[in-house]
Amino acid sequence: MHAIEKILMKNSGVKEIHTGEIVNAKIDFAEINDLYLQTVLSFYEMGGKKVWDNTRCAFVFDHYAPTPDIKSAENHKAMREFAQKNNLKYHFDTNCGVCHQVMPEAGVIYPGMIVVATDSHTTTHGAFGAMGTGCGATDMATILMTGELWLRVPEIIEVRLEGETPKGVYPKDVILAVLGKIRADGAVYKGMDFTGSYVDNLGVAGRMVICNMAVEMGAKTAYMQPNKEVIDYVTKRAVRPFEVQFTDEGYKYSESYVFDVSKLEPELACPSSVENVHTLSSVIAEGEVKLNQGYIGSCTGGRVEDIAEAVKILKGKHIKEYTRLIVIPASKEVMLECITRGYISDLINAGATIGTPGCGACLGVHDGILAPGEVCITSTNRNFPGRMGSNKALMYLASPATVAASMINGKITDPREFL
């Protein structure tokens, strides 16, 4: 059996499990972001009185943090009232950060659990050996009432990543290369298991980047076998006992893909699709791509490690005149660590604008909206039309290092020139 199947079997209380069948599983933790006031409305419409367990669910105000308009302020107000009424142990308000960052920091994410959130990028938590998946408002309302949700046992795809990456190639480049091959619909409702020597040696932040973007291939969930760094991270923080689930030797995957990461170079997802992936050098060879904005942040590219790589390139330099670089740390903890290390002052001196921890410009409602005709290079996870503002703006997805290097020149630039 695969580890994902063992987690589903454990939480559904059945003795065996088969691909394609439906199970009713207990949810270990549920999270609702501030896009989903409808969860509260549906909860009451279905007769809900109190949440099933006030220690196993949380609101996270990250998408509209701080609120940019009256409607989002009203939504926050209503959700705060619900959180207070139910005495939720975990409530992450506008000063906390992105849901997928603050939950592991708070210790509510650990190996062997099922976490469901009203956010498609909940696949991120496969980085910790958990089963993470997204759902809609009505499904989440039923979880708040019962603590359970039906799930289909997915097929499991293996993505084996072998070797060591060359200088200037980061986890974001690796997952973009994978996306370019498997495509945006190559793993619909399947589990993606990332294996291989590269994964074995990958730190927590890099693991989160790769599992985060599994959903861009349609994956229902993602998984990585926890390594020592993950276990150490979780052991220091976990609020509950946990048990790592292992995949049985000889497990037969529905599909397997193998990548030699030592042969990769920096990658770009070009406008306007996540699967429109090309090597950075090939894009540059086709001609100069001038930029108006760079963005470093989100649940994909806003961790300490991401900001550190940008600072290596930007320190002592300045972004191109008439461009802007927006940097938004993924959480309050990340922000404080970056302040302590001097990264924030380095970025400000380089011309960057620093924002409140949260999703920021990623979803295109505040903190860096793009105008028609503008071009942005961003460390986020999606670049479809309208994602960061005008549907006539263009977005290139890249590593934080590539974003930083590009903003120095005001055009798409290879970060290896600065390393």
Side-chain angles (χ1 to χ4, degrees), residues 29 100 103-104 106-111 113 115 125 128 130 233-234 238-239:
F29 200 83
H100 306 305
M103 288 195 291
V108 300
I109 304 297
Y110 46 84
M113 72 178 296
V115 54
H125 305 295
F128 301 94
Y233 180 98
V234 174
V239 297

Side-chain angles (χ1 to χ4, degrees), residues 17 65 87 101 122 175 207 209 224-225 262 297 310:
I17 210 163
N87 191 29
Q101 183 69 21
T122 310
I175 192 59
R207 286 170 163 247
V209 172
M224 288 179 175
Q225 192 66 53
S262 67

Side-chain angles (χ1 to χ4, degrees), residues 61 106 193 229 237 284 292 297 305 308 318 351 373 407 409-410:
F61 295 171
D193 185 5
E229 186 167 334
R237 300 169 183 257
I284 293 173
N292 303 102
E305 292 84 348
H318 202 278
M407 295 318 297
N409 290 333

Side-chain angles (χ1 to χ4, degrees), residues 232-250:
D232 288 346
Y233 180 98
V234 174
T235 300
K236 291 176 184 177
R237 300 169 183 257
V239 297
R240 301 182 191 277
F242 63 87
E243 181 181 348
V244 179
Q245 300 295 328
F246 292 91
T247 298
D248 292 342
E249 189 174 347

